[in-house]
Amino acid sequence: MSHAHDHDHDHSHDHGHSNGHRHGHREGPAATAAESDSLVLDIGGNVGALVIYTNAALREAEIEISPGDNPESPRSHNQVHARQNRHGISYTAVFPAVPAGSYTVWRHSGEAQGTVTIHGGQVTEHHWD
């Protein structure tokens, strides 16, 4: 699978925290339709990928992860998109290149939603409850 962002850049906007991070957003008509484009995952060596499955209620929400379990650790986030697949539509946030290690997935309230372990060269899947 591959995934292209219309733009990917460093920028700041209010997320309720002061952690710096990098991510992409899709804009325009493609952002409103279920996406059927492919994802490019940059995995290998000590880098894996993370796919977080959610429900439709989280569509367009940003999900944050951080290394370890310290809530003060720098976070990165990606937006949940509706994606067309052979089974219908799924709602996922994809982190295409994540260094191997343990990560916390954060709720918008600031509470930990769960933890994941990323392995180099592999795709880790996590289901948001």
Side-chain angles (χ1 to χ4, degrees):
M1 304 171 127
S2 73
H3 178 74
H5 289 288
D6 290 338
H7 64 277
D8 185 17
H9 59 275
D10 290 321
H11 67 281
S12 61
H13 49 259
D14 184 24
H15 292 291
H17 61 79
S18 61
N19 297 319
H21 48 269
R22 178 177 175 82
H23 64 95
H25 287 281
R26 183 173 292 279
E27 297 178 347
T32 58
E35 299 181 29
S36 60
D37 59 342
S38 302
L39 291 168
V40 175
L41 304 178
D42 189 13
I43 63 175
N46 199 34
V47 176
L50 173 62
V51 178
I52 299 176
Y53 293 91
T54 72
N55 57 41
L58 289 176
R59 183 178 182 166
E60 304 305 320
E62 291 181 339
I63 295 180
E64 294 184 324
I65 64 171
S66 65
D69 60 5
N70 181 349
E72 300 302 317
S73 293
R75 297 181 184 186
S76 56
H77 65 249
N78 272 312
Q79 195 170 39
V80 174
H81 291 287
R83 300 186 190 281
Q84 184 70 43
N85 61 53
R86 69 176 184 250
H87 303 293
I89 295 175
S90 62
Y91 299 89
T92 60
V94 179
F95 295 80
V98 182
S102 177
Y103 290 81
T104 300
V105 179
W106 298 99
R107 294 184 184 278
H108 295 269
S109 65
E111 295 177 53
Q113 187 277 334
T115 58
V116 295
T117 301
I118 305 299
H119 300 279
Q122 297 180 19
V123 176
T124 299
E125 295 180 335
H126 178 75
H127 294 267
W128 187 279
D129 58 18

